[in-house]
Amino acid sequence: MAESDAATMERLRKEMGKKVEIPVPEGMIPVHDNKATAVLAAPGDLERLRESMEPELVMSTLVDPLAVVRLTPFSAIPEWANHSTFCSITRTADELSIVTCSFDVPATEQREGPFTAFMVHGPLDFALTGILSRIATALARAEISIFAISTFDTDYVLVPSADAERARSALAASGTCRFADA
């Protein structure tokens, strides 16, 4: 049976001043001061441990290629934005951005793309932290840029379509996620 926190603290207080030998696991770093010895994780070990304890993300690839369109800040939302199965609209003081199926965007509009979107299966609890960070880190290591969109239920990560297969491979290899549409 495990000791309670109070019992553990009391036992450690009694042992203070006595030399206590602590076995140092491989890859760990012993640290000594005049009272005790501690064992610290080697660089990178804590990050790997944290990542191994995080739940696996399940992702899917959206079929349609997407475009990011920039309009003036006070533009009306164009009719073509209402036809897509995916549409995200963000208005700021500087611009109106619309992310939608690239086939629906007139050639006359200022746009970037095509992008391939990866959807994190949700709904995701608002208290969860680090989801986009995990994905972005795996893709940054592969030198793949991202454009992220979050909704009430889930997150979407857009990558340049030319990098989509490499992005899937990087995410799967990192252990960050598995693809339901693999």
Side-chain angles (χ1 to χ4, degrees):
M1 181 179 277
E3 293 180 89
S4 70
D5 288 344
T8 300
M9 291 304 294
E10 183 59 32
R11 182 179 56 76
L12 290 174
R13 278 190 200 97
K14 288 179 183 176
E15 292 176 357
M16 292 292 284
K18 297 179 185 176
K19 184 173 181 176
V20 178
E21 291 295 322
I22 299 174
V24 179
E26 185 178 331
M28 304 298 267
I29 301 169
V31 177
H32 309 278
D33 68 12
N34 62 351
K35 295 183 182 176
T37 299
V39 178
L40 300 179
D45 285 349
L46 291 178
E47 181 65 21
R48 284 189 290 278
L49 177 61
R50 185 185 65 77
E51 288 173 359
S52 72
M53 296 172 63
E54 293 171 339
E56 180 183 59
L57 301 175
V58 178
M59 298 177 81
S60 293
T61 306
L62 273 60
V63 175
D64 292 332
L66 302 177
V68 180
V69 180
R70 185 179 197 271
L71 301 172
T72 61
F74 300 107
S75 296
I77 296 171
E79 183 59 33
W80 52 259
N82 295 319
H83 299 294
S84 184
T85 56
F86 185 97
C87 184
S88 177
I89 300 171
T90 304
R91 186 184 306 273
T92 69
D94 300 319
E95 66 181 296
L96 173 67
S97 288
I98 301 174
V99 181
T100 191
C101 179
S102 60
F103 303 125
D104 293 332
V105 180
T108 56
E109 299 296 346
Q110 180 182 352
R111 69 162 98 199
E112 290 289 329
F115 291 96
T116 297
F118 299 128
M119 177 187 76
V120 180
H121 288 217
L124 302 173
D125 188 323
F126 274 88
L128 292 174
T129 60
I131 292 172
L132 287 175
S133 175
R134 290 169 57 195
I135 294 167
T137 298
L139 294 177
R141 287 182 182 135
E143 298 183 355
I144 298 170
S145 64
I146 70 164
F147 183 93
I149 298 173
S150 294
T151 67
F152 191 88
D153 284 336
T154 193
D155 293 327
Y156 296 86
V157 177
L158 285 62
V159 300
S161 291
D163 295 329
E165 284 307 312
R166 211 164 51 85
R168 280 179 65 106
S169 296
L171 288 166
S174 73
T176 299
C177 71
R178 71 176 171 81
F179 282 87
D181 58 350

